Amino acid sequence: MWITSSFTRFIVFVPDRPCLRVHQRGVPLTRRALITGITGQDGSYLAEDLLEQGYEVWGLVRGQANPHVARLRKHIGDVQIITGDLLDQGSLISAVEQVQPDEVYNLGAISYVPMSWQQAELTAEVTGMGPLRVLEAIRVVSGISASRTTEPRAQIRFYQASSSEMFGQVRETPQSELTPFHPRSPYGVAKTYGHFITQNYRESYGMFAVSGILFNHESPRRGAEFVTRKVSLGVARIKLGLATELRLGNLDARRDWGFAGDYAKAMRMMLTTDRPEDYVIGTGVTRSVRELVELAFATVGLNWEDHVVLDSKYTRPAEVDLLCADPKKAREQLGWEPEVTFEELVAMMVESDLALLSFSNRPEEEPFSPDHW
Ligand code: NAP
Ligand code: GDD
């Protein structure tokens, strides 16, 4: 065993538990976070935010040679990687045991809604059962008895990435923490299970387990399959003469779109409050896909109607027509406010993709790939 010290923290290394911190009056000197889904859009912003706050950040990564790890390492160097899969209970117990986190953020999921109709069972396993497996890993490693107890205790805090897709066919507008759920896709159904099992572990075991019900949030790191990024990449391609048309589905759907960097901050804030509660996170403003498209084309001086082609291939078996958040609780209790406006977000994404496609020195690679953060 050996001990290092600095003015800010002590680290004790022991052979079987490699990195235990010394606590001062029960408070860890540095908080340690474990993030599932760290290779995704939100994982990257959350890791950046937590590192800025002085956290030690670990990311759970699946697969023996996950290609997204290189991208993560390139952009966010300080993250430590541990292998595991939301489909594999044992790997999650090992990860929690090894990392000994103060906070666990479960962002891992199959997150593309259309894919959830094609692979409904896999979506249920990863997006729905995944949160249960992470909660079980925390329960087992924390030594919380499976017999009922609601005594709050010092323990690992858990964040579940719930979704406004759970509101689905909305019962009221705007949607708040009290709005009933009516999911419209296998993804939405799986998220609803994840939401309720998180609530159940809080109520059954007194765990600090919370869900953030996040509305759509986007960025230049967004996967190319989602509509905002598909549009920003499409606009950039057309502007640069690499394409002439952009094929889209339902232009009438309305979403409450915000910037992913702002939403990552809300996740951290939810785990550093006194009481575990669920929060709706969104801007409170809803726009149609048509408005998104019009603005994105106008950003580069083009008329969307000259380029957008409707294609039924992109319409869904059941659509979520309207989402609009009521973020009052987050504003009042967390002090959270979005900073980036819809106009700034669209301009940021279009400019980023123009730069990406203009300066790509490896055009043989597919520039639509989200590997090009
Ligand atoms: P994303 O970019 O699609 O990232 C999904 C992440 O999940 C990736 O890191 C992926 O890892 C990981 N993953 C997939 N299957 C896994 C498995 N079996 N085991 C472990 N990890 C697995 O999603 P995002 O936009 O960052 O969203 C983060 C979370 O928030 C998701 O749960 C999403 O459903 C939820 N959410 C997102 C929004 C939004 O607007 N972005 C809104 C509400 C809720 P690989 O690199 O291995 O594929
Ligand atoms: N992806 C896509 N592609 N969507 C299109 C297209 C298209 O060509 N044309 C129209 N749309 C419409 C969809 O029908 C949907 O109504 C809307 O654009 C937004 O689609 P996505 O960007 O794919 O996002 P989403 O709302 O289905 O799901 C996202 O937000 C959820 C939160 O509400 C994902 O990030 C989910 O993981 C997240 O939970």
Side-chain angles (χ1 to χ4, degrees):
M1 179 191 295
W2 55 279
I3 299 177
T4 63
S5 70
S6 72
F7 289 115
T8 53
R9 64 173 163 177
F10 295 80
I11 301 174
V12 180
F13 285 91
V14 290
D16 55 339
R17 282 174 126 190
C19 196
L20 288 181
R21 287 148 306 155
V22 171
H23 288 47
Q24 213 171 40
R25 288 192 296 276
V27 180
L29 295 178
T30 304
R31 290 188 79 72
R32 185 180 296 155
L34 172 62
I35 303 173
T36 76
I38 195 157
T39 54
Q41 170 190 254
D42 290 9
S44 73
Y45 283 105
L46 179 63
E48 277 175 352
D49 177 72
L50 294 176
L51 287 166
E52 263 174 43
Q53 300 292 320
Y55 280 61
E56 182 183 315
V57 177
W58 288 71
L60 184 97
V61 169
R62 66 180 169 142
Q64 62 186 45
N66 189 317
H68 298 153
V69 174
R71 176 182 68 183
L72 184 73
R73 284 242 176 272
K74 188 169 149 209
H75 291 269
I76 307 155
D78 284 345
V79 169
Q80 312 204 48
I81 299 298
I82 187 155
T83 54
D85 197 305
L86 289 170
L87 296 171
D88 182 352
Q89 180 72 74
S91 74
L92 298 173
I93 293 174
S94 296
V96 174
E97 204 163 40
Q98 197 178 325
V99 173
Q100 297 280 322
D102 302 295
E103 298 171 8
V104 175
Y105 295 85
N106 182 41
L107 310 187
I110 289 177
S111 73
Y112 184 45
V113 172
M115 189 175 157
S116 75
W117 277 284
Q118 288 157 4
Q119 299 187 32
E121 189 180 338
L122 184 66
T123 302
E125 281 292 344
V126 177
T127 306
M129 294 291 283
L132 170 64
R133 295 191 186 101
V134 179
L135 284 161
E136 270 297 286
I138 293 170
R139 187 186 69 74
V140 168
V141 173
S142 306
I144 298 171
S145 163
S147 60
R148 189 172 183 279
T149 168
T150 52
E151 285 297 306
R153 56 181 94 190
Q155 58 188 220
I156 301 166
R157 295 184 170 203
F158 174 77
Y159 173 87
Q160 166 59 14
S162 285
S163 167
S164 50
E165 268 284 312
M166 300 186 306
F167 296 122
Q169 192 158 304
V170 298
R171 306 274 180 88
E172 61 183 5
T173 297
Q175 295 87 46
S176 75
E177 295 79 6
L178 300 176
T179 303
F181 299 141
H182 182 150
R184 296 270 285 168
S185 62
Y187 168 84
V189 173
K191 279 288 176 189
T192 304
Y193 177 80
H195 184 85
F196 281 128
I197 200 67
T198 301
Q199 182 181 309
N200 179 262
Y201 269 52
R202 179 168 77 220
E203 293 174 0
S204 301
Y205 303 122
M207 286 172 67
F208 196 111
V210 307
S211 291
I213 308 174
L214 270 53
F215 284 62
N216 300 50
H217 44 279
E218 320 292 319
S219 75
R221 301 176 189 175
R222 187 59 143 149
E225 64 273 36
F226 300 94
V227 76
T228 52
R229 187 78 197 287
K230 183 173 172 183
V231 168
S232 65
L233 279 162
V235 166
R237 294 202 99 195
I238 292 168
K239 181 67 180 173
L240 295 171
L242 301 170
T244 54
E245 65 175 35
L246 174 62
R247 304 186 83 82
L248 293 171
N250 179 10
L251 300 186
D252 294 323
R254 300 185 75 86
R255 291 290 182 276
D256 178 336
W257 279 293
F259 171 56
D262 289 342
Y263 289 51
K265 291 189 176 71
M267 296 176 198
R268 175 197 13 105
M269 289 166 135
M270 281 180 233
L271 287 201
T272 44
T273 51
D274 294 337
R275 283 176 7 152
E277 289 185 30
D278 304 330
Y279 293 88
V280 156
I281 300 294
T283 69
V285 181
T286 181
R287 319 262 181 167
S288 66
V289 175
R290 186 176 284 100
E291 286 172 84
L292 161 74
V293 169
E294 191 174 356
L295 181 60
F297 276 91
T299 303
V300 296
L302 294 173
N303 180 357
W304 70 277
E305 285 167 307
D306 296 336
H307 303 283
V308 170
V309 177
L310 297 185
D311 189 335
S312 59
K313 192 166 82 182
Y314 298 110
T315 55
R316 301 177 178 187
E319 177 64 283
V320 172
D321 295 319
L322 164 67
L323 291 175
C324 182
D326 175 359
K328 185 164 172 263
K329 182 179 173 188
R331 190 170 55 240
E332 290 181 355
Q333 293 190 19
L334 300 176
W336 179 83
E337 295 267 12
E339 288 176 13
V340 177
T341 66
F342 179 68
E343 288 75 13
E344 289 167 343
L345 174 65
V346 172
M348 179 202 304
M349 293 180 71
V350 170
E351 281 160 22
S352 167
D353 284 327
L354 273 173
L356 173 69
L357 298 185
S358 303
F359 303 118
S360 173
N361 54 9
R362 287 180 295 176
E364 73 281 3
E365 285 182 15
E366 173 50 70
F368 271 38
S369 161
D371 281 340
H372 287 77
W373 278 356

